[in-house]
Amino acid sequence: MSPNKRIAVWMSEKKIQKVNWQELETVCGNYGFEVFKLCLKSSLESQGPFCVLVHKMTDIIASANLGDVRCIAILQDVERYISQNPTLIVIDPIPNVRKIIDRYSCYSIIHSTNLCTYEVFTPNFCTLETNDVETIKHQLRIAHVTYPFLCKPLLGHGSRKAHQICIIFNERSLIDISTPCVAQSFINHDASLFKIYVAGDKHCMVERPSLKNYQASDRETIYFDSSDVSKAGSKSRLSVLDPEDVVERREPDEKIINLIATTLRKAFGMDLFGVDVVIEKSTGKYAIIDVNAYPGYDGFPNFYEALLECISKKMSTDLT
């Protein structure tokens, strides 16, 4: 097999176990590629040459951001190899992945696009870095973050804690906030979440359960794991709508979904990512509440075909 036709794949053991490797090998073979599992414990030079690196190094990047010496060294080795092989296609570029896993950076990038002209927005947000309640009140007020609001860890990957979120309903509960975090206004959306999975210039959307509608109140802070609430088939009590909620079923507009996928692909400079979207109950506007690098792609038909088409197009572009 030609070295210009070798694809290196790196994922965590947990992620690789979910990959249908035989199917991936078959699809790669159909496109004339050989695929192999990259080992980050050995030198990349000894495993090369290869023309494409497909990776999910989000946890390594997140841990490196938090000062993990081992992960910093791994990233330095990978980035050095990439810089020494400028024709290598990397899906996705590590600097871009860094931006997407930092929730404040991610929301800021979304906010800077023109999606708002199509009534697509990201709810008001700010970073909270202190436990001083008066300072928190001021920061929330300046950023127009309203009650109730969600508190999310700054990094969207790296550990189980990345999915541990709380809902703050009132000023009295500001003492419950664990900083640093990102505070984001909660949007009522009738407990329906729409996940857009993007793979190159293709995308698909699946519906998942989500949080029920909440109002500002004197209730106690709610703590939950977002992956438990919104995974397929979840039966969380937090997703059960109150009897008084009248649900007006809204089917997402495919034109808007396509616009979100194409706009964010360009804004983030990435090919493999997922977008969590809800439709605001009171206005019908689309709210982007999170973006994830290399999601699970559950429900994405022929994902490996889409991945190989993306790779093939990138190689064709590089050759022209």
Side-chain angles (χ1 to χ4, degrees), residues 119-298:
E119 299 197 324
V120 179
F121 69 104
T122 189
N124 292 336
F125 63 96
C126 66
T127 300
L128 302 177
E129 297 180 327
T130 175
N131 292 320
D132 180 72
V133 169
E134 291 306 314
T135 302
I136 289 174
K137 287 181 186 177
H138 176 72
Q139 290 176 312
L140 295 171
R141 189 164 53 248
I142 293 297
H144 305 291
V145 175
T146 53
Y147 294 95
F149 62 85
L150 302 166
C151 286
K152 306 178 181 182
L154 280 174
L155 294 178
H157 292 268
S159 71
R160 181 74 174 175
K161 292 181 180 179
H163 302 288
Q164 291 177 353
I165 296 174
C166 69
I167 311 175
I168 303 292
F169 292 92
N170 48 65
E171 283 192 352
R172 173 175 56 83
S173 297
L174 294 178
I175 58 172
D176 296 335
I177 296 174
S178 178
T179 58
C181 68
V182 173
Q184 184 183 56
S185 294
F186 178 77
I187 301 296
N188 282 328
H189 53 279
D190 289 334
S192 286
L193 172 71
F194 300 96
K195 286 185 169 288
I196 307 171
Y197 295 132
V198 179
D201 57 13
K202 289 186 167 52
H203 69 271
C204 93
M205 182 192 70
V206 298
E207 186 172 358
R208 294 282 188 261
S210 186
L211 295 171
K212 69 177 188 176
N213 300 325
Y214 288 110
Q215 312 298 331
S217 67
D218 61 358
R219 72 182 299 161
E220 296 296 317
T221 299
I222 293 176
Y223 300 88
F224 66 98
D225 187 306
S226 61
S227 60
D228 291 339
V229 171
S230 295
K231 65 185 177 184
S234 173
K235 302 293 184 184
S236 171
R237 60 181 177 79
L238 300 179
S239 300
V240 180
L241 289 168
D242 294 331
E244 64 269 20
D245 269 322
V246 178
V247 177
E248 180 185 345
R249 175 68 185 173
R250 287 189 173 101
E251 289 295 336
D253 184 334
E254 178 54 38
K255 290 181 181 178
I256 298 295
I257 297 300
N258 181 66
L259 179 70
I260 292 170
T262 54
T263 300
L264 294 189
R265 183 187 180 203
K266 182 177 180 181
F268 288 110
M270 291 179 58
D271 288 301
L272 298 180
F273 63 95
V275 189
D276 289 352
V277 176
V278 299
I279 301 179
E280 188 173 28
K281 182 178 180 68
S282 59
T283 66
K285 294 181 179 180
Y286 292 67
I288 299 171
I289 58 172
D290 251 328
V291 182
N292 300 290
Y294 206 147
Y297 287 97
D298 295 332

Side-chain angles (χ1 to χ4, degrees), residues 68-133:
D68 185 297
V69 175
R70 184 184 66 87
C71 290
I72 290 172
I74 290 172
L75 267 187
Q76 287 175 341
D77 285 344
V78 173
E79 291 182 305
R80 180 164 51 247
Y81 183 85
I82 292 170
S83 66
Q84 291 171 352
N85 295 272
T87 61
L88 179 67
I89 294 170
V90 182
I91 301 178
D92 279 304
I94 289 174
N96 300 4
V97 177
R98 286 184 195 275
K99 293 175 185 176
I100 209 172
I101 68 173
D102 180 306
R103 284 192 166 108
Y104 184 83
S105 167
C106 176
Y107 298 154
S108 299
I109 290 170
I110 298 168
H111 193 66
S112 70
T113 68
N114 70 340
L115 285 172
C116 61
T117 61
Y118 300 92
E119 299 197 324
V120 179
F121 69 104
T122 189
N124 292 336
F125 63 96
C126 66
T127 300
L128 302 177
E129 297 180 327
T130 175
N131 292 320
D132 180 72
V133 169

